[in-house]
Amino acid sequence: MQKYVCTVCHYEYDPAVGDVENGIAPGTAFADLPAEWVCPLCSVGKDLFEEV
């Protein structure tokens, strides 16, 4: 699974780690994140992330 990086704050979403603090389990692919998920650091939407 590919990692994705926020183009605003450079937070890296790693599917192997997930986003446990926001209810996203490890192993969750970026494409499978809920539409309402936002960057945990700067709160922008998924549309502002790029594949690493």
Side-chain angles (χ1 to χ4, degrees), residues 1-3 11-29 33:
M1 286 189 276
Q2 291 296 104
K3 295 179 183 178
Y11 166 82
E12 185 175 273
Y13 177 76
D14 182 349
V17 176
D19 182 13
V20 177
E21 291 181 11
N22 292 298
I24 306 300
T28 303
L33 291 172

Side-chain angles (χ1 to χ4, degrees), residues 1-49:
M1 286 189 276
Q2 291 296 104
K3 295 179 183 178
Y4 284 76
V5 67
C6 177
T7 59
V8 175
C9 73
H10 306 289
Y11 166 82
E12 185 175 273
Y13 177 76
D14 182 349
V17 176
D19 182 13
V20 177
E21 291 181 11
N22 292 298
I24 306 300
T28 303
F30 188 80
D32 295 332
L33 291 172
E36 63 275 1
W37 182 85
V38 295
C39 177
L41 297 183
C42 71
S43 300
V44 299
K46 290 173 51 176
D47 58 324
L48 291 177
F49 277 72

